[in-house]
Amino acid sequence: MRERTYAMLKPDGVKMGLFPEVVERFKNVGLEITHTKEMVLNEEILKEHYAHVADKPFFPELEKYMLSGPVIAMIVEGEDAVNRVRELMGPTNCKEALPGTIRGDYGSKDDETCRTYNVIHGSDSLENAEIEVNRFFPELKKNKTLKKAIR
């Protein structure tokens, strides 16, 4: 089934210039990035996006990291997009991510930072994908003429 999901290249991935590599990996498995934008996040959107961990002791470091530079927000479409994007990314913990996955190839291997500095985020379900698309692309609701970015 054709699906729509959300992915975000995090500040470390942007700093490493990984956007073209991520696009290529998605395209190679038949996924299409239909919308993209570079943005600088703020505390409000981070607290909303990470509400499920905002009370955890590691959240201040995660917040500092996510505020450290721009991110690239993406809407990705294709067959079984949620699962396929997650497979391409690899596990959250980069030390568990296999070579050939985005996190396995580019994420931090440091014990202290391997769960935070993991290069990329992807929605974990169709329900969360729609929530995250609406959170990071609110203009889609208002402006149906938003340019499609990459085909």
Side-chain angles (χ1 to χ4, degrees):
M1 177 174 86
R2 187 164 173 90
E3 297 174 346
R4 169 168 96 157
T5 192
Y6 176 75
M8 175 173 46
L9 193 61
K10 295 180 177 181
D12 53 336
V14 173
K15 286 175 188 163
M16 287 186 265
L18 295 180
F19 184 64
E21 173 72 15
V22 169
V23 169
E24 189 67 25
R25 288 185 188 212
F26 288 174
K27 283 184 173 184
N28 285 344
V29 298
L31 295 171
E32 177 185 8
I33 299 176
T34 61
H35 296 83
T36 184
K37 67 179 174 181
E38 185 174 278
M39 58 191 302
V40 176
L41 303 179
N42 60 41
E43 291 177 11
E44 180 183 343
I45 201 166
L46 284 173
K47 284 193 170 89
E48 183 181 336
H49 185 64
Y50 289 111
H52 60 291
V53 296
D55 62 341
K56 303 287 186 198
F58 62 84
F59 181 73
E61 181 62 28
L62 174 62
E63 184 178 47
K64 180 180 171 187
Y65 156 64
M66 292 300 294
L67 293 171
S68 70
V71 301
I72 299 177
M74 298 170 269
I75 298 175
V76 183
E77 294 185 13
E79 291 298 315
D80 198 25
V82 171
N83 290 325
R84 292 173 71 208
V85 166
R86 293 191 64 78
E87 287 171 10
L88 288 169
M89 291 187 323
T92 301
N93 183 336
C94 297
K95 292 180 81 167
E96 297 171 3
L98 296 174
T101 64
I102 296 166
R103 289 173 173 158
D105 292 346
Y106 299 107
S108 172
K109 301 298 189 261
D110 181 341
D111 282 339
E112 298 299 314
T113 61
C114 63
R115 289 179 170 271
T116 301
Y117 292 81
N118 62 7
V119 183
I120 192 166
H121 163 82
S123 301
D124 63 1
S125 68
L126 279 173
E127 178 183 70
N128 282 336
E130 283 307 305
I131 291 168
E132 293 174 355
V133 163
N134 290 330
R135 177 179 297 135
F136 291 99
F137 288 91
E139 64 275 14
L140 288 179
K141 290 180 182 179
K142 299 173 191 164
N143 182 1
K144 296 294 184 186
T145 62
L146 180 71
K147 291 193 301 190
K148 292 198 172 198
I150 297 176
R151 292 187 189 249

